[in-house]
Amino acid sequence: KNTVFYQLFIPHCSIHLSLYFLFTNDAEGRLHQSQVAVFLLTYLGPPFNEKDFSPPRPNSTALSLPSAATRLELWHGLENQARLAQNQKAYSVLLAAVRELARSTLCPALKTSLLHFCTGLDGLLGSISALMTTLGYALPPPSANMEMRPTMNDFAKKVEGFWILRELQSWLWRSAKDFNRLKKRLRG
Amino acid sequence: MANLVTSLCCVVLAAVVVAYAQRRSQLVARNQYERMGSDVTMQCGSLDNDASVSWKVNGTDVKAQHRLEGPRLVLNEVDLGHNGLYSCFQNPHGERRDTIYLHIGIPPRDPTVTCRSNTYPKGFYCSWHQLHPTYIPTTFEVDVQHNQRSLEVQKDPDHKNRCRVRFPEVFSSYPYKVNVTAVNALGKASTTISFEESSIVKPDPPERVTATPIRFNARRLEVSWQSPATWPDIDNFPLKYFLRYRPLIREQWQHVELSDSTSHTITDAYAGKEYIIQVAAKDTEIGTWSDWSVAVHATPWIEDPLPITSTTEVDFPTETKTSPIPSSNAPQKAEPPVGRAARLLTFFSPLLLGMLLLFM
């Protein structure tokens, strides 16, 4: 087993995560949003950028976008392969979703920001895939789940964009804990 | 024949019981809650409108401004002074007909609600309080919603006005909605707050902070602590720490942030100065910093002072001429125990003033 590789990749993933973490707290506990989050929420405009705003989640996103949320016991008990596979699947879908957001936006500053973000996500996805390969886990085939999306009006698109951002935030936060658990399990 | 007697006895017994109960119900006080500042009407039992009654409060005459309207007592603009046990007696024979315990209060205002998770990822708690007293018993109903589901809420056995909820899942994108309704006999008021799982996480402060000097190191202090006992899963949900320290004589703190370590060596302490040290904790990704831990005091290691021998460096005349200064401040006794190095320095202070400044 090539132990060197996975010891390298796990901190690598953590670096990606800390760089692209969407929401961080400073020493006084104030919430700071990263550039991308600020851009996207400003672009979406009110009421999306208002505090405590939470629209109902559209069924389309709920079906295709894997949720980071999980029951605590289930999360604890995840085997290394399943844990990595869930992360790999999530970021594949999220990367495609953010790419689509970048493609469909007319605002140039937002497009640049989102594409830059996609580069980071791509790097993260690469690290996860490499880690899985090193550990001898099969990578899932690239899913062709770009099924025909229903035509949405502008507001519905914005709601979907909002939820993609939300879920991405949850995944980044969850992955940090996933990799911490992986580090401990692989060590011991 | 025996059956008839038994049933007759039962009927008589029943009648006695009913009559006694009726009489007792007039003696058992009922509660009446009324709003402060309003006019209050108290009704004497179920007497007719033309009945004549007299009233007493706590056994004495009603001194507050009032008027009588048949079987009713009307009090104007009530305040807390009107609280009491009111009894009415039917004239002319003075039989007690009713007893009313009057409580003056105010309806509840919107409670203030805050929620926090110091036991992440197990659960969170919500606390509430009323900014203004109501003076009458007020209860609180708590409802917690997440992703269109109601969560089970448990009263906290150790804290008043607090309840606990288990997280149904972790890493959730859906917000939690907590509604607290204050209810009393005069009305109700409610507050709803909404928050995300990550924003309410705030650990308890680190525990068992110790700071010890390090032998032969005049500028170091070894600080160590433990994660708070309430944090349930330190392995999978690690904490990062923030340490602050300053000498007692200074106002400005120095800060160090540490990940994944429960000890730190301060290497830039001022020699011989007492330090105050505190530590705070935070989840590595989410939430806010804990409150500061209990402050710990420590002084870096200083060299032991030399024992005082007969041939000291400082020589003073022993014979006492008529000296204006009393000898109570005899130098040999009053000499403070300082390190040998410091003593030598003060002795040669004119020459070594520059060096002293360098050290400080």
Side-chain angles (χ1 to χ4, degrees), chain B residues 176-195:
Chain B
Y176 289 81
K177 278 193 167 58
V178 175
N179 178 302
V180 177
T181 308
V183 186
N184 68 20
L186 300 173
K188 52 167 78 171
S190 73
T191 303
T192 305
I193 64 164
S194 176
F195 54 83

PDB file of all heavy atoms in Angstrom, chain B residues 176-195:
ATOM      1  N   TYR B 176     -33.243  25.900  11.249  1.00  0.00           N
ATOM      2  CA  TYR B 176     -34.126  25.499  12.349  1.00  0.00           C
ATOM      3  C   TYR B 176     -34.986  26.693  12.731  1.00  0.00           C
ATOM      4  O   TYR B 176     -34.515  27.832  12.702  1.00  0.00           O
ATOM      5  CB  TYR B 176     -33.281  25.066  13.561  1.00  0.00           C
ATOM      6  CG  TYR B 176     -32.573  23.756  13.350  1.00  0.00           C
ATOM      7  CD1 TYR B 176     -31.383  23.696  12.640  1.00  0.00           C
ATOM      8  CD2 TYR B 176     -33.099  22.570  13.855  1.00  0.00           C
ATOM      9  CE1 TYR B 176     -30.743  22.486  12.423  1.00  0.00           C
ATOM     10  CE2 TYR B 176     -32.455  21.360  13.644  1.00  0.00           C
ATOM     11  CZ  TYR B 176     -31.280  21.324  12.928  1.00  0.00           C
ATOM     12  OH  TYR B 176     -30.637  20.129  12.718  1.00  0.00           O
ATOM     13  N   LYS B 177     -36.249  26.420  13.042  1.00  0.00           N
ATOM     14  CA  LYS B 177     -37.153  27.507  13.467  1.00  0.00           C
ATOM     15  C   LYS B 177     -37.654  27.184  14.866  1.00  0.00           C
ATOM     16  O   LYS B 177     -38.277  26.150  15.081  1.00  0.00           O
ATOM     17  CB  LYS B 177     -38.347  27.610  12.519  1.00  0.00           C
ATOM     18  CG  LYS B 177     -38.066  28.393  11.257  1.00  0.00           C
ATOM     19  CD  LYS B 177     -39.349  28.744  10.513  1.00  0.00           C
ATOM     20  CE  LYS B 177     -39.136  29.779   9.425  1.00  0.00           C
ATOM     21  NZ  LYS B 177     -38.157  29.405   8.397  1.00  0.00           N
ATOM     22  N   VAL B 178     -37.377  28.089  15.791  1.00  0.00           N
ATOM     23  CA  VAL B 178     -37.781  27.874  17.183  1.00  0.00           C
ATOM     24  C   VAL B 178     -38.803  28.928  17.566  1.00  0.00           C
ATOM     25  O   VAL B 178     -38.555  30.124  17.406  1.00  0.00           O
ATOM     26  CB  VAL B 178     -36.561  27.963  18.129  1.00  0.00           C
ATOM     27  CG1 VAL B 178     -37.000  27.874  19.578  1.00  0.00           C
ATOM     28  CG2 VAL B 178     -35.563  26.868  17.803  1.00  0.00           C
ATOM     29  N   ASN B 179     -39.942  28.455  18.052  1.00  0.00           N
ATOM     30  CA  ASN B 179     -41.006  29.363  18.478  1.00  0.00           C
ATOM     31  C   ASN B 179     -41.252  29.180  19.964  1.00  0.00           C
ATOM     32  O   ASN B 179     -41.470  28.072  20.430  1.00  0.00           O
ATOM     33  CB  ASN B 179     -42.284  29.037  17.682  1.00  0.00           C
ATOM     34  CG  ASN B 179     -43.467  29.902  18.092  1.00  0.00           C
ATOM     35  OD1 ASN B 179     -43.863  29.909  19.264  1.00  0.00           O
ATOM     36  ND2 ASN B 179     -44.038  30.628  17.165  1.00  0.00           N
ATOM     37  N   VAL B 180     -41.164  30.281  20.709  1.00  0.00           N
ATOM     38  CA  VAL B 180     -41.453  30.230  22.145  1.00  0.00           C
ATOM     39  C   VAL B 180     -42.654  31.132  22.426  1.00  0.00           C
ATOM     40  O   VAL B 180     -42.626  32.320  22.072  1.00  0.00           O
ATOM     41  CB  VAL B 180     -40.245  30.696  22.982  1.00  0.00           C
ATOM     42  CG1 VAL B 180     -40.600  30.703  24.464  1.00  0.00           C
ATOM     43  CG2 VAL B 180     -39.049  29.796  22.740  1.00  0.00           C
ATOM     44  N   THR B 181     -43.688  30.558  23.031  1.00  0.00           N
ATOM     45  CA  THR B 181     -44.896  31.316  23.348  1.00  0.00           C
ATOM     46  C   THR B 181     -45.042  31.410  24.853  1.00  0.00           C
ATOM     47  O   THR B 181     -45.042  30.390  25.545  1.00  0.00           O
ATOM     48  CB  THR B 181     -46.148  30.619  22.763  1.00  0.00           C
ATOM     49  OG1 THR B 181     -45.932  30.360  21.389  1.00  0.00           O
ATOM     50  CG2 THR B 181     -47.384  31.490  22.925  1.00  0.00           C
ATOM     51  N   ALA B 182     -45.146  32.642  25.345  1.00  0.00           N
ATOM     52  CA  ALA B 182     -45.380  32.874  26.773  1.00  0.00           C
ATOM     53  C   ALA B 182     -46.889  32.973  26.982  1.00  0.00           C
ATOM     54  O   ALA B 182     -47.562  33.721  26.269  1.00  0.00           O
ATOM     55  CB  ALA B 182     -44.697  34.153  27.223  1.00  0.00           C
ATOM     56  N   VAL B 183     -47.417  32.207  27.938  1.00  0.00           N
ATOM     57  CA  VAL B 183     -48.871  32.182  28.172  1.00  0.00           C
ATOM     58  C   VAL B 183     -49.158  32.422  29.642  1.00  0.00           C
ATOM     59  O   VAL B 183     -48.541  31.787  30.509  1.00  0.00           O
ATOM     60  CB  VAL B 183     -49.470  30.810  27.776  1.00  0.00           C
ATOM     61  CG1 VAL B 183     -50.984  30.843  27.883  1.00  0.00           C
ATOM     62  CG2 VAL B 183     -49.050  30.413  26.383  1.00  0.00           C
ATOM     63  N   ASN B 184     -50.087  33.335  29.925  1.00  0.00           N
ATOM     64  CA  ASN B 184     -50.623  33.414  31.283  1.00  0.00           C
ATOM     65  C   ASN B 184     -52.114  33.705  31.200  1.00  0.00           C
ATOM     66  O   ASN B 184     -52.683  33.779  30.095  1.00  0.00           O
ATOM     67  CB  ASN B 184     -49.845  34.420  32.160  1.00  0.00           C
ATOM     68  CG  ASN B 184     -50.033  35.864  31.742  1.00  0.00           C
ATOM     69  OD1 ASN B 184     -50.992  36.216  31.061  1.00  0.00           O
ATOM     70  ND2 ASN B 184     -49.118  36.696  32.166  1.00  0.00           N
ATOM     71  N   ALA B 185     -52.758  33.864  32.336  1.00  0.00           N
ATOM     72  CA  ALA B 185     -54.214  34.011  32.371  1.00  0.00           C
ATOM     73  C   ALA B 185     -54.710  35.249  31.639  1.00  0.00           C
ATOM     74  O   ALA B 185     -55.881  35.354  31.307  1.00  0.00           O
ATOM     75  CB  ALA B 185     -54.689  34.036  33.812  1.00  0.00           C
ATOM     76  N   LEU B 186     -53.809  36.192  31.364  1.00  0.00           N
ATOM     77  CA  LEU B 186     -54.230  37.447  30.732  1.00  0.00           C
ATOM     78  C   LEU B 186     -53.893  37.527  29.252  1.00  0.00           C
ATOM     79  O   LEU B 186     -54.259  38.491  28.584  1.00  0.00           O
ATOM     80  CB  LEU B 186     -53.602  38.639  31.461  1.00  0.00           C
ATOM     81  CG  LEU B 186     -53.985  38.753  32.933  1.00  0.00           C
ATOM     82  CD1 LEU B 186     -53.193  39.863  33.608  1.00  0.00           C
ATOM     83  CD2 LEU B 186     -55.483  39.023  33.070  1.00  0.00           C
ATOM     84  N   GLY B 187     -53.178  36.530  28.722  1.00  0.00           N
ATOM     85  CA  GLY B 187     -52.866  36.575  27.294  1.00  0.00           C
ATOM     86  C   GLY B 187     -51.660  35.759  26.928  1.00  0.00           C
ATOM     87  O   GLY B 187     -51.127  35.001  27.740  1.00  0.00           O
ATOM     88  N   LYS B 188     -51.235  35.906  25.682  1.00  0.00           N
ATOM     89  CA  LYS B 188     -50.032  35.201  25.234  1.00  0.00           C
ATOM     90  C   LYS B 188     -49.247  36.064  24.256  1.00  0.00           C
ATOM     91  O   LYS B 188     -49.785  36.987  23.652  1.00  0.00           O
ATOM     92  CB  LYS B 188     -50.378  33.853  24.603  1.00  0.00           C
ATOM     93  CG  LYS B 188     -51.438  33.878  23.503  1.00  0.00           C
ATOM     94  CD  LYS B 188     -51.473  32.559  22.745  1.00  0.00           C
ATOM     95  CE  LYS B 188     -52.205  31.485  23.514  1.00  0.00           C
ATOM     96  NZ  LYS B 188     -52.430  30.260  22.711  1.00  0.00           N
ATOM     97  N   ALA B 189     -47.965  35.740  24.144  1.00  0.00           N
ATOM     98  CA  ALA B 189     -47.087  36.446  23.206  1.00  0.00           C
ATOM     99  C   ALA B 189     -46.019  35.472  22.762  1.00  0.00           C
ATOM    100  O   ALA B 189     -45.564  34.653  23.559  1.00  0.00           O
ATOM    101  CB  ALA B 189     -46.439  37.641  23.882  1.00  0.00           C
ATOM    102  N   SER B 190     -45.602  35.548  21.511  1.00  0.00           N
ATOM    103  CA  SER B 190     -44.594  34.582  21.050  1.00  0.00           C
ATOM    104  C   SER B 190     -43.517  35.226  20.200  1.00  0.00           C
ATOM    105  O   SER B 190     -43.695  36.297  19.628  1.00  0.00           O
ATOM    106  CB  SER B 190     -45.268  33.447  20.290  1.00  0.00           C
ATOM    107  OG  SER B 190     -45.689  33.894  19.027  1.00  0.00           O
ATOM    108  N   THR B 191     -42.382  34.539  20.162  1.00  0.00           N
ATOM    109  CA  THR B 191     -41.223  34.960  19.368  1.00  0.00           C
ATOM    110  C   THR B 191     -40.747  33.750  18.581  1.00  0.00           C
ATOM    111  O   THR B 191     -40.725  32.636  19.110  1.00  0.00           O
ATOM    112  CB  THR B 191     -40.079  35.407  20.304  1.00  0.00           C
ATOM    113  OG1 THR B 191     -40.552  36.443  21.148  1.00  0.00           O
ATOM    114  CG2 THR B 191     -38.893  35.903  19.515  1.00  0.00           C
ATOM    115  N   THR B 192     -40.366  33.968  17.309  1.00  0.00           N
ATOM    116  CA  THR B 192     -39.785  32.885  16.512  1.00  0.00           C
ATOM    117  C   THR B 192     -38.404  33.305  16.061  1.00  0.00           C
ATOM    118  O   THR B 192     -38.221  34.430  15.592  1.00  0.00           O
ATOM    119  CB  THR B 192     -40.648  32.608  15.263  1.00  0.00           C
ATOM    120  OG1 THR B 192     -41.971  32.346  15.676  1.00  0.00           O
ATOM    121  CG2 THR B 192     -40.115  31.409  14.491  1.00  0.00           C
ATOM    122  N   ILE B 193     -37.426  32.431  16.243  1.00  0.00           N
ATOM    123  CA  ILE B 193     -36.105  32.708  15.687  1.00  0.00           C
ATOM    124  C   ILE B 193     -35.716  31.598  14.729  1.00  0.00           C
ATOM    125  O   ILE B 193     -36.192  30.469  14.844  1.00  0.00           O
ATOM    126  CB  ILE B 193     -35.014  32.895  16.765  1.00  0.00           C
ATOM    127  CG1 ILE B 193     -34.801  31.619  17.575  1.00  0.00           C
ATOM    128  CG2 ILE B 193     -35.310  34.065  17.668  1.00  0.00           C
ATOM    129  CD1 ILE B 193     -33.505  31.633  18.357  1.00  0.00           C
ATOM    130  N   SER B 194     -34.879  31.946  13.784  1.00  0.00           N
ATOM    131  CA  SER B 194     -34.472  31.006  12.749  1.00  0.00           C
ATOM    132  C   SER B 194     -32.954  31.011  12.685  1.00  0.00           C
ATOM    133  O   SER B 194     -32.332  32.068  12.776  1.00  0.00           O
ATOM    134  CB  SER B 194     -35.070  31.481  11.424  1.00  0.00           C
ATOM    135  OG  SER B 194     -34.643  30.666  10.376  1.00  0.00           O
ATOM    136  N   PHE B 195     -32.321  29.846  12.547  1.00  0.00           N
ATOM    137  CA  PHE B 195     -30.865  29.802  12.479  1.00  0.00           C
ATOM    138  C   PHE B 195     -30.418  28.536  11.781  1.00  0.00           C
ATOM    139  O   PHE B 195     -31.162  27.572  11.658  1.00  0.00           O
ATOM    140  CB  PHE B 195     -30.241  29.851  13.886  1.00  0.00           C
ATOM    141  CG  PHE B 195     -30.763  28.801  14.824  1.00  0.00           C
ATOM    142  CD1 PHE B 195     -30.251  27.507  14.813  1.00  0.00           C
ATOM    143  CD2 PHE B 195     -31.793  29.094  15.706  1.00  0.00           C
ATOM    144  CE1 PHE B 195     -30.753  26.536  15.668  1.00  0.00           C
ATOM    145  CE2 PHE B 195     -32.300  28.126  16.563  1.00  0.00           C
ATOM    146  CZ  PHE B 195     -31.779  26.848  16.544  1.00  0.00           C
TER     147      PHE B 195
END
